[in-house]
Amino acid sequence: MPTLPTPRTAGVVDHRLQWAGHTGLVPAPDASSYRWSRAAVEAMDADAIRASLPHEPISAAAAADRIARGLGTPNVADEPPVVSAFAVCRLIACGLLTDLTANPQAC
């Protein structure tokens, strides 16, 4: 029986797989908790998945800066942050943001 694809055997970086799953482009594994059936893999649109992937994960501090800019109140260097990395970690812990960082222990 052929080996079914997994993130590890497919060479997919975990944060990118998380992102694709979060966007709905990759369905939840259907063959086990971490494997997809051949039919599920063949039904996926690889080009759409690649196009949706972020280039690299960002830190909680970088996410805080982006959120602050998005709110129209950017964080300013050498001043207390409007949105802090701690706030981003709390939003993740409360389930209000999805943790897609490369280092889940960072928060």
Side-chain angles (χ1 to χ4, degrees):
M1 181 172 172
T3 302
L4 296 173
T6 68
R8 190 176 312 256
T9 61
V12 176
V13 179
D14 290 336
H15 70 274
R16 292 186 176 185
L17 185 68
Q18 281 183 302
W19 177 258
H22 177 67
T23 62
L25 288 169
V26 172
D30 62 345
S32 74
S33 62
Y34 59 92
R35 291 181 186 258
W36 293 265
S37 65
R38 180 168 303 285
V41 171
E42 290 173 352
M44 292 180 201
D45 184 348
D47 291 331
I49 294 167
R50 280 188 207 97
S52 76
L53 296 176
H55 296 286
E56 291 298 324
I58 61 173
S59 66
D65 289 341
R66 288 184 184 190
I67 292 169
R69 274 195 314 272
L71 293 171
T73 54
N75 289 337
V76 178
D78 300 323
E79 290 186 21
V82 175
V83 178
S84 67
F86 176 79
V88 169
C89 290
R90 292 300 307 142
L91 290 170
I92 291 169
C94 292
L96 299 171
L97 282 178
T98 300
D99 184 7
L100 299 173
T101 61
N103 182 4
Q105 288 78 31
C107 285

